[in-house]
Amino acid sequence: MFEIKDIENKIFKGDALDILKTFPDESIDCAVTSPPYWNLRDYSAEGQLGLEGTFVQYINKLCDIFDEVKRVLKQSGTIWINIGDTYYGSTKVKPDKEVDEDDDTDYNDISDSEKKMFFRGNRIILPKKSLAMIPARFAIEMINRGWTLRNNIIWHKPSVMPRPVRDRFTIDFENIFFFVKNEKYYFKQQYEKMVTKVSTNASTKGSKYEGENVQVDSKSMSKFAEKVEQGLVEGRIKRTVWKINTSSNTSFHVAPYPEELIMPIIDAGCPEKGIVLDMFMGTGTTALVALKQNKKFVGIDVDERAVCYAKDRIETFLNQSTIFDLM
């Protein structure tokens, strides 16, 4: 079992679950990661996540990893997971079971062992061309395992790669789930620019919203407007749809997330000098952002190419930084 000093600012090569088991209890402040999506890409790395025969196996394997994350996460910790969906039938590896388009079999009548892999009665076989609903299934299973889902952030990608599809719309977003393990946790509020002038007449009293559990009155709105005018408030509280372009990183990794996407996440979810964990390190973006915010990191990846690439990026950044940048 490692001590905290043994994992700070280190990248480990190997299976995420196995390596996490060597980390000390409650040593991590925040986890930010994007696991390999189910059955979309083969990174040719032994033991990689994402090529399971069914989405049930994928989700259970992924949630098993987050069970271990819960052990190493501090009581005040937060985790943020960027995860995308998959169309059933257009996958990198052929699923364990295929369904003919004309097949009318009732797949609720599957074996007991298959049912026990996930929620009873849940289908592990879907119609071809259907979204597998991986993000939703993952979030529900995480909640069932005791996590609290605080936000579902929508990453809107205005510069998404166009697809030559004729029978559906182009998908231009992904999900980022914000989970915590306790009711009280570290969180630094994030703000964004006001899109309109603050209205001092806003009030729930006497309106159709009066019976809701959030109360707004003109007095409180006037005080907020004054703070905005005086520059005491950075803007409005950040919303959950973020319009951010995809990364311009030209590495071997097909889809690394951009620094701009996780800058507010790490700022919000990890205190200064805290440790940010990324169990699927990829190109090392999480580590770079953590270092730029005067925080520490620990990374894990099963792919040797990813480990080497991330180390090179981090070393290049540190060599270009002065001591004053890191104070």
Side-chain angles (χ1 to χ4, degrees), residues 136-284:
R137 297 176 193 273
F138 166 71
I140 291 171
E141 179 66 357
M142 288 282 282
I143 293 170
N144 279 349
R145 295 190 184 207
W147 291 96
T148 298
L149 178 57
R150 296 298 289 138
N151 279 126
N152 177 16
I153 297 165
I154 302 301
W155 172 19
H156 171 216
K157 302 187 276 188
S159 60
V160 68
M161 178 72 69
R163 303 288 180 180
V165 292
R166 297 184 177 182
D167 58 354
R168 64 173 176 84
F169 301 114
T170 298
I171 296 175
D172 62 351
F173 77 95
E174 289 184 7
N175 300 86
I176 301 175
F177 294 119
F178 167 27
F179 287 101
V180 296
K181 61 188 283 186
N182 284 315
E183 289 186 11
K184 294 184 178 181
Y185 51 89
Y186 176 83
F187 184 79
K188 178 184 174 184
Q189 188 59 265
Q190 302 294 297
Y191 297 91
E192 60 188 21
K193 292 182 179 179
M194 304 293 296
V195 293
T196 59
K197 187 176 180 180
V198 178
S199 172
T200 58
N201 296 321
S203 175
T204 55
K205 187 175 181 180
S207 73
K208 62 181 180 180
Y209 303 108
E210 186 172 8
E212 296 190 2
N213 61 357
V214 176
Q215 299 298 317
V216 177
D217 57 52
S218 297
K219 185 177 180 180
S220 63
M221 291 304 296
S222 295
K223 288 183 178 180
F224 181 72
E226 287 180 11
K227 289 182 179 180
V228 171
E229 291 176 359
Q230 295 170 4
L232 301 177
V233 175
E234 299 177 54
R236 68 180 190 179
I237 293 175
K238 195 170 181 65
R239 273 42 173 179
T240 55
V241 177
W242 300 358
K243 185 176 180 180
I244 298 173
N245 285 326
T246 54
S247 174
S248 59
N249 189 306
T250 57
S251 72
F252 71 94
H253 200 290
V254 178
Y257 48 47
E259 290 188 29
E260 186 182 357
L261 179 69
I262 62 169
M263 285 168 58
I265 288 175
I266 294 178
D267 190 41
C270 182
E272 193 167 322
K273 300 188 183 300
I275 302 178
V276 182
L277 166 69
D278 189 343
M279 308 83 69
F280 306 100
M281 193 68 169
T283 60

Side-chain angles (χ1 to χ4, degrees), residues 29-172:
D29 294 276
C30 176
V32 180
T33 195
S34 181
Y37 300 170
W38 178 59
N39 249 325
L40 285 184
R41 298 183 182 91
D42 184 355
Y43 293 99
S44 301
E46 185 178 352
Q48 67 182 301
L49 179 78
L51 298 183
E52 293 72 22
T54 67
F55 63 79
V56 174
Q57 295 169 333
Y58 167 77
I59 289 172
N60 275 283
K61 187 174 179 180
L62 183 57
C63 289
D64 287 345
I65 293 172
F66 281 101
D67 284 345
E68 197 63 25
V69 172
K70 183 180 284 189
R71 179 187 65 80
V72 304
L73 191 69
K74 292 180 180 179
Q75 295 298 314
S76 58
T78 64
I79 64 170
W80 313 72
I81 305 105
N82 168 220
I83 187 167
D85 211 345
T86 302
Y87 277 96
Y88 193 83
S90 59
T91 52
K92 191 70 178 178
V93 175
K94 192 174 181 180
D96 285 347
K97 296 184 179 181
E98 284 290 341
V99 186
D100 294 331
E101 292 184 2
D102 298 327
D103 190 354
D104 61 355
T105 305
D106 181 5
Y107 285 101
N108 285 316
D109 188 25
I110 60 178
S111 69
D112 288 341
S113 61
E114 288 173 326
K115 288 179 179 179
K116 289 177 180 178
M117 291 176 66
F118 205 56
F119 308 119
R120 180 165 294 276
N122 193 48
R123 294 174 61 146
I124 64 169
I125 302 172
L126 302 174
K128 286 182 178 178
K129 300 180 75 173
S130 173
L131 281 169
M133 297 300 292
I134 296 295
R137 297 176 193 273
F138 166 71
I140 291 171
E141 179 66 357
M142 288 282 282
I143 293 170
N144 279 349
R145 295 190 184 207
W147 291 96
T148 298
L149 178 57
R150 296 298 289 138
N151 279 126
N152 177 16
I153 297 165
I154 302 301
W155 172 19
H156 171 216
K157 302 187 276 188
S159 60
V160 68
M161 178 72 69
R163 303 288 180 180
V165 292
R166 297 184 177 182
D167 58 354
R168 64 173 176 84
F169 301 114
T170 298
I171 296 175
D172 62 351

